[in-house]
Coordinates of all heavy atoms in Angstrom, one line a residue:
Q1 N -4.9 4.2 -1.8 CA -3.7 3.7 -2.4 C -3.8 2.1 -2.6 O -3.5 1.6 -3.7 CB -2.5 4.0 -1.6 CG -1.2 3.7 -2.4 CD -1.0 4.5 -3.7 OE1 -1.1 5.7 -3.6 NE2 -0.9 3.8 -4.8
R2 N -4.3 1.4 -1.6 CA -4.4 0.0 -1.8 C -5.4 -0.4 -2.9 O -5.1 -1.3 -3.7 CB -4.9 -0.6 -0.4 CG -3.9 -0.8 0.6 CD -4.4 -1.7 1.7 NE -5.6 -1.2 2.4 CZ -5.6 -0.4 3.4 NH1 -4.4 0.1 3.9 NH2 -6.7 0.0 4.0
H3 N -6.5 0.3 -2.9 CA -7.5 0.0 -4.0 C -6.9 0.3 -5.4 O -7.1 -0.5 -6.3 CB -8.7 0.9 -3.7 CG -9.8 0.7 -4.8 ND1 -10.6 -0.4 -4.9 CD2 -10.2 1.6 -5.8 CE1 -11.4 -0.3 -5.9 NE2 -11.2 0.9 -6.5
E4 N -6.3 1.5 -5.5 CA -5.8 1.8 -6.9 C -4.6 0.9 -7.3 O -4.5 0.5 -8.5 CB -5.3 3.3 -6.9 CG -6.5 4.2 -6.7 CD -6.1 5.7 -6.9 OE1 -4.9 6.0 -7.0 OE2 -7.0 6.6 -6.9
D5 N -3.8 0.4 -6.3 CA -2.8 -0.6 -6.6 C -3.4 -1.9 -7.1 O -2.9 -2.5 -8.0 CB -1.9 -0.8 -5.4 CG -1.0 0.3 -5.1 OD1 -0.8 1.2 -6.0 OD2 -0.5 0.4 -4.0
L6 N -4.6 -2.3 -6.5 CA -5.3 -3.5 -6.9 C -5.8 -3.4 -8.3 O -5.7 -4.3 -9.1 CB -6.4 -3.8 -5.8 CG -7.2 -5.0 -6.1 CD1 -6.4 -6.3 -6.1 CD2 -8.4 -5.1 -5.1
V7 N -6.4 -2.2 -8.5 CA -7.0 -2.0 -9.9 C -5.9 -2.0 -10.9 O -6.0 -2.7 -12.0 CB -7.7 -0.6 -9.9 CG1 -8.1 -0.3 -11.4 CG2 -8.9 -0.6 -9.1
E8 N -4.7 -1.4 -10.6 CA -3.6 -1.4 -11.5 C -3.1 -2.8 -11.8 O -2.8 -3.1 -13.0 CB -2.5 -0.5 -10.9 CG -1.3 -0.3 -11.8 CD -1.5 0.8 -12.9 OE1 -2.4 1.5 -12.8 OE2 -0.6 0.9 -13.8
S9 N -3.0 -3.6 -10.8 CA -2.5 -5.0 -11.0 C -3.4 -5.9 -11.8 O -2.9 -6.8 -12.4 CB -2.3 -5.6 -9.6 OG -3.6 -5.9 -9.0
K10 N -4.7 -5.5 -11.9 CA -5.6 -6.3 -12.7 C -5.7 -5.8 -14.2 O -6.4 -6.5 -15.0 CB -7.0 -6.3 -12.1 CG -7.0 -7.1 -10.7 CD -8.4 -7.1 -10.1 CE -8.4 -7.9 -8.9 NZ -9.8 -8.0 -8.3
L11 N -5.1 -4.7 -14.5 CA -5.2 -4.2 -15.8 C -4.2 -4.8 -16.8 O -3.1 -5.0 -16.4 CB -5.0 -2.6 -15.8 CG -6.1 -1.8 -15.2 CD1 -5.7 -0.3 -15.2 CD2 -7.4 -1.9 -16.0
A12 N -4.7 -5.1 -18.0 CA -3.7 -5.6 -19.0 C -3.0 -4.4 -19.5 O -3.3 -3.3 -19.4 CB -4.5 -6.3 -20.1
G13 N -1.9 -4.7 -20.2 CA -1.0 -3.7 -20.8 C -1.8 -2.7 -21.7 O -1.6 -1.5 -21.6
V14 N -2.7 -3.2 -22.5 CA -3.4 -2.4 -23.4 C -4.4 -1.5 -22.6 O -4.6 -0.3 -23.0 CB -4.2 -3.3 -24.4 CG1 -5.3 -4.1 -23.7 CG2 -4.9 -2.4 -25.5
D15 N -4.9 -2.0 -21.5 CA -5.8 -1.1 -20.7 C -5.1 0.0 -20.0 O -5.6 1.1 -19.9 CB -6.5 -2.0 -19.6 CG -7.5 -3.0 -20.2 OD1 -8.1 -2.6 -21.3 OD2 -7.6 -4.1 -19.7
I16 N -3.9 -0.3 -19.6 CA -3.0 0.7 -18.9 C -2.7 1.8 -20.0 O -2.8 3.0 -19.7 CB -1.7 0.1 -18.4 CG1 -2.1 -0.8 -17.2 CG2 -0.8 1.2 -17.9 CD1 -0.9 -1.6 -16.6
K17 N -2.4 1.4 -21.2 CA -2.0 2.3 -22.3 C -3.3 3.2 -22.6 O -3.1 4.4 -22.7 CB -1.6 1.6 -23.5 CG -1.2 2.5 -24.6 CD -0.7 1.7 -25.8 CE -0.3 2.6 -27.0 NZ 0.2 1.8 -28.2
R18 N -4.4 2.6 -22.7 CA -5.7 3.3 -23.0 C -6.0 4.4 -21.9 O -6.4 5.5 -22.1 CB -6.8 2.4 -23.1 CG -8.1 3.1 -23.6 CD -9.3 2.1 -23.6 NE -9.0 1.0 -24.6 CZ -8.9 -0.3 -24.2 NH1 -9.0 -0.6 -22.9 NH2 -8.6 -1.2 -25.1
R19 N -5.8 3.9 -20.6 CA -6.0 4.8 -19.5 C -5.1 6.0 -19.5 O -5.5 7.2 -19.3 CB -5.9 4.1 -18.2 CG -6.4 4.9 -17.0 CD -6.1 4.2 -15.7 NE -4.7 4.3 -15.3 CZ -4.2 3.7 -14.2 NH1 -5.0 3.1 -13.4 NH2 -2.9 3.8 -14.0
R20 N -3.8 5.8 -19.9 CA -2.9 6.8 -19.9 C -3.2 7.8 -21.0 O -3.1 9.1 -20.8 CB -1.5 6.3 -20.2 CG -0.4 7.3 -20.3 CD -0.3 8.2 -19.0 NE 0.7 9.2 -19.1 CZ 0.7 10.3 -18.5 NH1 -0.3 10.6 -17.7 NH2 1.7 11.2 -18.6
I21 N -3.7 7.3 -22.2 CA -4.1 8.2 -23.3 C -5.3 9.1 -22.8 O -5.3 10.3 -23.1 CB -4.4 7.4 -24.5 CG1 -3.2 6.8 -25.1 CG2 -5.1 8.3 -25.5 CD1 -3.4 5.8 -26.2
E22 N -6.2 8.4 -22.1 CA -7.4 9.2 -21.6 C -7.0 10.3 -20.7 O -7.5 11.4 -20.7 CB -8.4 8.2 -20.9 CG -9.1 7.2 -21.9 CD -10.0 6.3 -21.1 OE1 -9.9 6.2 -19.9 OE2 -10.7 5.5 -21.8
E23 N -6.0 10.0 -19.8 CA -5.6 11.0 -18.9 C -4.9 12.2 -19.6 O -5.1 13.3 -19.2 CB -4.7 10.4 -17.8 CG -5.4 9.4 -16.9 CD -4.5 8.7 -15.9 OE1 -3.2 8.9 -16.1 OE2 -5.0 7.9 -15.1
I24 N -4.1 11.9 -20.6 CA -3.4 12.9 -21.3 C -4.4 13.8 -22.1 O -4.3 15.0 -22.0 CB -2.4 12.3 -22.3 CG1 -1.2 11.7 -21.6 CG2 -1.9 13.4 -23.3 CD1 -0.3 10.9 -22.4
I25 N -5.4 13.2 -22.7 CA -6.4 13.9 -23.5 C -7.2 14.8 -22.5 O -7.6 15.9 -22.8 CB -7.3 13.0 -24.3 CG1 -6.5 12.3 -25.4 CG2 -8.4 13.8 -24.9 CD1 -5.8 13.2 -26.3
T26 N -7.6 14.2 -21.4 CA -8.3 15.0 -20.4 C -7.5 16.2 -19.9 O -8.1 17.3 -19.8 CB -8.7 14.1 -19.2 OG1 -9.4 13.0 -19.6 CG2 -9.4 14.9 -18.1
A27 N -6.2 16.0 -19.7 CA -5.4 17.2 -19.3 C -5.3 18.2 -20.4 O -5.3 19.4 -20.2 CB -4.0 16.7 -19.0
Q28 N -5.3 17.8 -21.7 CA -5.3 18.7 -22.8 C -6.6 19.5 -22.9 O -6.6 20.7 -23.2 CB -5.1 18.0 -24.1 CG -3.6 17.5 -24.3 CD -3.3 17.1 -25.7 OE1 -2.1 17.0 -26.0 NE2 -4.3 16.9 -26.6
V29 N -7.7 18.9 -22.6 CA -9.0 19.6 -22.6 C -9.0 20.6 -21.5 O -9.5 21.7 -21.7 CB -10.2 18.6 -22.4 CG1 -11.5 19.3 -22.1 CG2 -10.3 17.7 -23.6
A30 N -8.5 20.2 -20.3 CA -8.5 21.2 -19.2 C -7.6 22.4 -19.6 O -7.9 23.5 -19.2 CB -8.0 20.5 -17.9
D31 N -6.5 22.1 -20.3 CA -5.6 23.2 -20.7 C -6.3 24.1 -21.7 O -6.1 25.3 -21.6 CB -4.3 22.5 -21.4 CG -3.1 23.5 -21.3 OD1 -3.3 24.6 -20.9 OD2 -2.0 23.0 -21.8

């Protein structure tokens, strides 16, 4: 949790958005 919080704090807004899109698409592929 500490590590992921640190990674999250260093991401710019655009990077967070891109990561969220990647996670959604990955979930759709699994579906």
Side-chain angles (χ1 to χ4, degrees):
Q1 190 61 56
R2 282 194 300 271
H3 176 73
E4 293 187 354
D5 288 344
L6 179 62
V7 170
E8 184 82 11
S9 68
K10 292 183 177 181
L11 289 177
V14 65
D15 292 327
I16 294 176
K17 182 179 179 180
R18 184 184 300 114
R19 189 185 75 180
R20 179 57 181 153
I21 291 174
E22 289 177 352
E23 291 175 357
I24 292 173
I25 296 303
T26 301
Q28 288 195 163
V29 169
D31 203 356

